[in-house]
Amino acid sequence: MKILSIQSAVAYGHVGNSAAVFPLQRIGVEVYPVYTVTFSNHTGYGSWRGPLISPDDVRDVILGIEERGAFKDIDVVLSGYQGGEGIGDVILDTVARVKSANPSAVYACDPVMGNAKSGCFVAPAIPILLRERVVPAADIITPNQFELGFLTGTDPADLESTLDSVDAARALGPSTVLVTSVERPERPEGTIEMLAVDDKGAWIVQTPHIPMKANGSGDVTAALFTAHYRQTGDAATALARTTSSVYDLLQNTYEAGSRELLLVESQETYAHPRLQFAVTQVR
């Protein structure tokens, strides 16, 4: 499998492509990483150095990949945080050209906008861009519960309303939706869930909630779920593998007291997920 991943990069720590690429490689996926920024570290530290890469330069890098004849072999275009509208245009253009070269290719979009605690932390134009142009072009989206509500103008809370919100998101275009950080009021205390929905049904998985903020964990989740789903065509299997890997990655990081994901140290959790959590079909 080959994935063209258009995301940010940092030298110190793990977010964007610096979080997504290695886990994908460790499960045997060839990745073409294209960077939208090259920062010293993620912006959560409050200070960072390094350049935003202009949309024209990003487009140029992608053109060079196309000129190598690679587009016909790309199975997935993956995108995450979009810093500006210009990058969105480049990604949409790339998706169209990859799908022209390989009609079986899919576009997986992690529609990064914010979370329930921080609210929306992207530029005001980005949610509109995502809702009106990017998500309709996607085959797979991986929003958290807050982003799902923002995209659809709904208020997902319990399982039924979250499924209704997923149906609204799927009506926009994508056939497969992974909802991360599902916090429904009826769940047991101290737990958190993920929900995967496609044409075949809906599945939920519950894990203990690890009390830490882990920048980059959503990028790992989106990458692994996309790869497993593309490889197996089975949402339940992709959900089980991804949940197992990401939970163990977070647990290792939490136990070490590290602010940055122990991405390399946790590599066996991607290659050989323990599958320790039951996946339940809910529709």
Side-chain angles (χ1 to χ4, degrees), residues 250-261:
L250 292 175
Q251 185 67 23
N252 292 345
T253 302
Y254 179 67
E255 288 177 354
S258 173
R259 180 167 180 177
E260 293 289 349
L261 294 175

Side-chain angles (χ1 to χ4, degrees), residues 151-172:
L151 279 173
T152 56
T154 60
D155 186 22
D158 59 10
L159 180 58
E160 185 177 357
S161 62
T162 301
L163 286 168
D164 288 344
S165 297
V166 169
D167 289 341
R170 294 180 74 229
L172 295 173

Side-chain angles (χ1 to χ4, degrees), residues 92-204:
L92 289 169
D93 180 57
T94 300
V95 168
R97 298 204 326 263
V98 167
K99 286 190 170 188
S100 177
N102 178 13
S104 68
V106 299
Y107 172 36
C109 169
D110 185 8
V112 179
M113 290 183 283
N115 55 58
K117 290 181 181 173
S118 306
C120 209
F121 53 60
V122 297
I126 297 300
I128 299 168
L129 170 74
L130 288 168
R131 184 173 60 244
E132 294 184 358
R133 296 183 55 213
V134 178
V135 167
D139 302 285
I140 301 168
I141 59 170
T142 59
N144 59 37
Q145 193 174 24
F146 169 83
E147 291 161 342
L148 174 66
F150 213 95
L151 279 173
T152 56
T154 60
D155 186 22
D158 59 10
L159 180 58
E160 185 177 357
S161 62
T162 301
L163 286 168
D164 288 344
S165 297
V166 169
D167 289 341
R170 294 180 74 229
L172 295 173
S175 58
T176 304
V177 178
L178 174 71
V179 188
T180 63
S181 302
V182 175
E183 299 185 48
R184 53 182 176 139
E186 67 267 35
R187 76 192 191 282
E189 189 175 350
T191 64
I192 195 163
E193 295 169 313
M194 284 204 291
L195 173 72
V197 184
D198 69 1
D199 291 338
K200 299 173 187 174
W203 294 265
I204 199 163

Side-chain angles (χ1 to χ4, degrees), residues 211-276:
M212 63 176 290
K213 182 180 180 183
N215 295 86
S217 59
D219 303 318
V220 177
T221 301
L224 286 176
F225 179 82
T226 296
H228 287 310
Y229 184 72
R230 178 64 172 162
Q231 190 171 50
T232 66
D234 187 285
T237 298
L239 183 61
R241 291 179 182 176
T242 301
T243 302
S244 176
S245 299
V246 173
Y247 179 84
D248 282 348
L249 165 64
L250 292 175
Q251 185 67 23
N252 292 345
T253 302
Y254 179 67
E255 288 177 354
S258 173
R259 180 167 180 177
E260 293 289 349
L261 294 175
L262 296 190
L263 195 80
V264 176
E265 296 89 335
S266 302
Q267 60 182 283
E268 286 304 307
T269 73
Y270 327 133
H272 305 289
R274 293 190 292 141
L275 303 178
Q276 67 271 47

